[in-house]
Amino acid sequence: MTLPDPDAALRRNLRRHQSMASGLLGLMAVSFGASLALPHGPAAELLLEASKAGVIGGVADWFAVTALFRHPLGLPIPHTAILPAQKERLGNALGRFIANHVVTEADVKKALATLDSPSLIRRFLSESTTTRPLAEALSSMLPRLLASIEDGRARRLLARLLPKLLGGQASGIIVARVLQGLVAGGKHQEVFSFIIQNLKETLLAREELLREAIKERVSEQGGKLVGWALGATVAKRVLTAVNQELERITPDSSEMREAFDEWVRREIDRLETDPARAAELGGAVKSVLSHETVRAWAWDIWARLRRALELDAANPHGRSVAVIESALASLSDSLERDASAKARVDSAFQSLILRALPALQTEGAAYIGRVVGAWDTRTITEKLELRVGKDLQFIRINGTLVGFVLGLAFAGAQLLAGK
């Protein structure tokens, strides 16, 4: 199937104007021939000189116009076929002109001022046909992003940064916010129950070791005789008392639970109001994060998490794609309802475009130069001639007419001077 020619109208228009210019030149040639056949006299002489000048003017301008695009009559005359021979310079000059005089910072600012970028982004993100492929593309980038963190330099940088970022006074405030969330939802008591349950299980599993440790402590403090006589009894009573107290800690009520709740709330208040306390906790966090064992444990968790993320990211129906798609939809909703979010996105979009503009101008100019320079001779000749050839034919027409008029005037002046 033959595709329609997009330049068909331009071709017809160019041929029509070429025919007009060539027809006028042909008329001058016919007039010149007729003047030679006419009987000698003033009228024949005027026609001869006028038509001769018209032919000369028309041929000269035909040569000039043709020389822009090709060699006239196929002859390799110097300084002809100018545009094809200078296509690289033409492309570079065109690219610089567009970059420096068309896509200027002032013009781009005017265009951005009338562009509602948040609405465009919202409409783009509101279509599932666009957000789904975008989410899949972003998800596919996760393995490369995660791999960059595995680089040794990245590990060392994170190892230095994390203690500094999380080891200051701010970390204490973060802990306070987390604790507030736990207390507000009653989750701190669930944490407390988890600790108590694990403590019970630990005591039960190591009861014999603890019994022997208590007996040894009694012997150290009271002597071997006291240890032999009372060590076992003291150990038994201590462990029984501890187990009984732990059993008293029920989900419904407990003095220890109430004391724990009071302590947590008091610590939250201290972390928020006492900079020294927050800094003290931050120092403890920094010390923990700086320990080699903690680092090794954290990187082991990270390695497991990374593998899980990579496997999920490779699955088009995985959780990663769904989360990213949901985030994009949430952004679309925010841009529809939140005026401040619209303003921030619009400002960020304009700032991004203006910061990238110098690079875009340079790359755009280079791109235009490369494209034009890569065109073959026939292509560049055809493209340029189709778009400016019509106007150039008027140069031929005007040259023919001007030559005819000047020839007529010159011949008339000579006749008058002779009389």
Side-chain angles (χ1 to χ4, degrees), residues 264-296:
V264 170
R265 294 179 186 276
R266 187 170 60 250
E267 281 300 312
I268 291 173
D269 183 65
R270 289 183 62 189
L271 289 173
E272 290 186 329
T273 59
D274 187 355
R277 180 61 174 173
E280 181 183 350
L281 179 60
V285 172
K286 181 178 181 180
S287 176
V288 170
L289 292 175
S290 301
H291 198 280
E292 290 297 329
T293 303
V294 174
R295 289 183 183 179

Side-chain angles (χ1 to χ4, degrees), residues 127-137 315-318 321-322 325 328:
E127 295 290 338
S128 59
T129 55
T130 56
T131 54
R132 184 69 183 186
L134 178 59
E136 291 176 357
N315 182 7
H317 305 288
V321 175
E325 188 175 15
L328 294 175

Side-chain angles (χ1 to χ4, degrees), residues 226-267:
V226 174
W228 175 78
L230 301 175
T233 302
V234 171
K236 181 179 179 180
R237 289 184 176 181
V238 168
L239 291 175
T240 300
V242 170
N243 287 324
Q244 288 176 348
E245 190 61 35
L246 290 177
E247 290 297 329
R248 288 175 53 197
I249 305 174
T250 63
D252 298 328
S253 61
S254 168
E255 294 180 4
M256 190 172 288
R257 281 186 182 276
E258 294 174 0
F260 176 72
D261 182 85
E262 182 182 350
W263 174 81
V264 170
R265 294 179 186 276
R266 187 170 60 250
E267 281 300 312

Side-chain angles (χ1 to χ4, degrees), residues 24-25 47-48 65 104-105 122 174 176 184 241 265 295 307 311-312 329 331 352-353 366 379 397-398 409 415:
L24 184 58
L25 180 58
L47 182 60
L48 174 65
V65 170
T104 64
E105 183 174 345
R122 180 181 59 79
I174 292 173
R265 294 179 186 276
R295 289 183 183 179
R307 284 194 294 270
L311 291 173
D312 185 75
L331 175 59
L352 176 64
I353 294 297
T379 300
I397 294 172
N398 292 336
L415 287 174

Side-chain angles (χ1 to χ4, degrees), residues 162 217 244 258 383 385:
L162 284 178
R217 186 63 175 171
Q244 288 176 348
E258 294 174 0
K383 287 183 179 294
E385 190 171 19

